[in-house]
Amino acid sequence: MIRSVKPSLQSIREKVEAGERLSLDDGLFLYEPTTPLHEIGALANLVRERLGGNFAYYNINTHLNPTNVCVYRCVFCAFRSDLRDPKGYAMSDEQILARGQEAVENGCTEMHIVGGLHHQRKYDWYVHVVRILHEAYPQLHLKAWTAVEINWFEFLTKKPVRAILEDMLEAGLGSMPGGGAEIFHPEVRGEICEHKADAGKWIEVHRTAHQLGLKTNATMLYGHIENAFHRIDHLIRLRELQDETGGFQTFIPLAFHPENTGLSHIKKPSALTDLRTMAISRLMLDNFPHIKAYWIMLGIGTAQTALSYGADDLDGTVRHELIYHDAGATTPEILSVEDIRRLILEAGREPVERDTLYRRIVRDQQDRAKWSVGDAIPAAV
Ligand code: V47
């Protein structure tokens, strides 16, 4: 039930304690700079612990960006390249398979695959990337293609979203990442990425994926030209889809990194904005099982703190991340398992290695690169 009283910290606290849903106005109130951050953090922590106890999750993962050549020119992106720019690349099958081999040798359970919408590569190439990796390394979970890429494949093939997702599933797709969501509201989307899939299309792709039994994630890119209303509107649109399908696993708020982008005059959001956004996300998205503090993007200290501001997941050990590092991220390129576990323990949480679908991973004691899937982590939402 959504009560329409003028929001105050007291009314919001009562709702959160009673497990009631927060409204748009509540969300806007929480974003007001005079609403104390530590109070919001404490409420988000209450929800986080109610849903997931003291656990904090991570996985052992790697990234693959098969090409950076992209027909779109999103103003916030430092990763993309023009077709004829010397920076542009498209990986060969050998390079792609070598990444799979490296991932397996290092005990990765997941490969996160996203890239540019290459002017000359056909749809079949994108299906082929999934297929060769899955055939060679069937244990490696392929979390691949954003809704924006699926929409590009629609344009290339004139096939419906469902048929494209079925092709990808048949080739070995395991789940979909949450990228490409940016800010849904057209006032902002029209300014930062006017040509690519709009909010309705992003949501349609995820709805269809959920109907086919695929789990997906969701993101929000904040700290550029949007305001608090655009952020809360974005979260409410995600919450509505989750009510309908239940197919989202994790929400990842993504702080804008301005370096080498068309918005380089904008200052990176502060750690306080990052924590406020993390906490508000946890409070607004009452039906999302997990909230991720992506350490690559937040920096290690803020990511650790975020584990007490609503987040229960740090993403993974990560290797070969380009999107944030091209945009000026100063975080390391990889964390060791020991490091990520220590960061979680220092934050007072209990580290749990998970797979992409939030099942516990059991490691072979003699050879840590070998693993098997254990129990599912119950989703309390
Ligand atoms: O969609 C691009 C964002 C996203 C910049 O699903 C930028 O588990 C900040 O979606 N500054 C891709 N952000 C990354 C992504 C993601 C990351 C980690 C985990 C998961 C998951 C998904 O990165 C893009 C865009 O929103 N992005 N450029 C930039 N300069």
Side-chain angles (χ1 to χ4, degrees):
M1 186 184 67
I2 300 182
R3 277 191 273 149
S4 58
V5 287
K6 192 170 177 306
S8 66
L9 205 45
Q10 182 56 23
S11 70
I12 291 175
R13 188 180 295 115
E14 282 170 16
K15 283 188 183 181
V16 170
E17 284 171 356
E20 282 178 33
R21 180 156 277 191
L22 300 188
S23 66
L24 173 76
D25 286 342
D26 291 331
L28 294 177
F29 177 81
L30 293 172
Y31 258 124
E32 282 173 20
T34 47
T35 310
L37 174 61
H38 64 278
E39 301 270 10
I40 306 171
L43 289 178
N45 195 47
L46 178 81
V47 175
R48 178 238 191 270
E49 291 186 354
R50 192 159 63 197
L51 293 177
N54 199 37
F55 298 126
Y57 302 102
Y58 69 95
N59 69 356
I60 302 187
N61 63 344
T62 186
H63 286 224
L64 178 79
N65 307 120
T67 179
N68 64 350
V69 173
C70 193
V71 295
Y72 291 149
R73 292 168 170 267
C74 301
V75 69
F76 55 80
C77 181
F79 165 72
R80 75 163 296 282
S81 167
D82 285 334
L83 182 60
R84 298 192 204 292
D85 192 311
K87 174 186 166 210
Y89 71 84
M91 291 170 85
S92 65
D93 286 5
E94 291 68 33
Q95 288 171 317
I96 290 169
L97 287 169
R99 286 293 189 80
Q101 181 67 27
E102 179 197 51
V104 168
E105 282 169 7
N106 286 284
C108 292
T109 60
E110 171 191 285
M111 184 179 263
H112 179 159
I113 311 174
V114 290
L117 312 173
H118 194 290
H119 308 56
Q120 294 170 340
R121 295 287 163 143
K122 300 207 163 49
Y123 170 60
D124 290 352
W125 181 66
Y126 291 87
V127 181
H128 175 77
V129 168
V130 173
R131 190 181 304 287
I132 58 172
L133 281 165
H134 182 64
E135 280 177 4
Y137 308 106
Q139 232 196 340
L140 192 61
H141 180 106
L142 305 178
K143 181 177 79 176
W145 314 132
T146 66
V148 172
E149 284 159 311
I150 302 295
N151 176 235
W152 176 246
F153 305 152
E154 245 188 301
F155 170 77
L156 290 179
T157 61
K158 313 293 174 233
K159 285 183 176 188
V161 170
R162 176 175 289 267
I164 289 163
L165 292 175
E166 283 169 348
D167 289 347
M168 290 292 177
L169 268 167
E170 187 272 323
L173 181 73
S175 66
M176 283 174 60
E182 325 312 358
I183 287 282
F184 288 143
H185 200 287
E187 273 168 20
V188 175
R189 210 167 178 86
E191 294 292 319
I192 63 170
C193 54
E194 64 168 332
H195 297 298
K196 76 182 188 189
D198 65 9
K201 179 55 73 177
W202 192 98
I203 283 170
E204 180 201 329
V205 170
H206 282 259
R207 177 187 288 118
T208 310
H210 298 167
Q211 287 166 350
L212 289 171
L214 278 166
K215 291 291 183 187
T216 74
N217 293 337
T219 58
M220 173 176 77
L221 178 67
Y222 66 91
H224 42 93
I225 62 164
E226 87 293 353
N227 61 32
F229 167 74
H230 300 126
R231 294 178 192 168
I232 301 294
D233 169 75
H234 187 95
L235 296 175
I236 289 177
R237 292 185 202 219
L238 290 173
R239 186 169 78 181
E240 284 170 357
L241 181 59
Q242 180 73 336
D243 275 344
E244 195 186 311
T245 65
F248 287 119
Q249 301 197 107
T250 315
F251 175 72
I252 311 119
L254 296 171
F256 176 54
H257 280 48
E259 229 174 90
N260 306 319
T261 76
L263 297 173
S264 57
H265 58 284
I266 293 179
K267 290 260 179 298
K268 193 166 157 274
S270 70
L272 297 189
T273 300
D274 293 337
L275 292 174
R276 188 176 288 262
T277 301
M278 191 68 62
I280 293 175
S281 303
R282 179 60 288 170
L283 291 169
M284 294 301 296
L285 295 176
D286 52 16
N287 51 6
F288 271 61
H290 305 285
I291 304 285
K292 194 183 275 189
Y294 187 35
W295 62 267
I296 292 261
M297 164 277 282
L298 288 172
I300 284 170
T302 307
Q304 283 181 299
T305 314
L307 293 176
S308 301
Y309 278 75
D312 68 342
D313 192 300
L314 282 188
D315 194 75
T317 48
V318 183
R319 48 179 74 220
H320 302 297
E321 198 287 329
L322 293 179
I323 296 175
Y324 275 84
H325 287 101
D326 282 358
T330 54
T331 40
E333 304 227 337
I334 185 168
L335 284 179
S336 67
V337 176
E338 292 67 36
D339 281 343
I340 205 162
R341 292 182 71 89
R342 180 181 47 79
L343 297 179
I344 291 172
L345 287 166
E346 273 178 12
R349 301 296 184 186
E350 186 179 331
V352 176
E353 185 187 346
R354 60 161 177 87
D355 73 354
T356 313
L357 302 176
Y358 286 85
R359 296 171 298 187
R360 282 172 188 270
I361 290 293
V362 182
R363 289 271 155 194
D364 184 311
Q365 294 305 309
Q366 311 306 321
D367 179 354
R368 305 295 293 170
K370 294 207 182 106
W371 51 273
S372 58
V373 174
D375 298 342
I377 292 153
V381 290

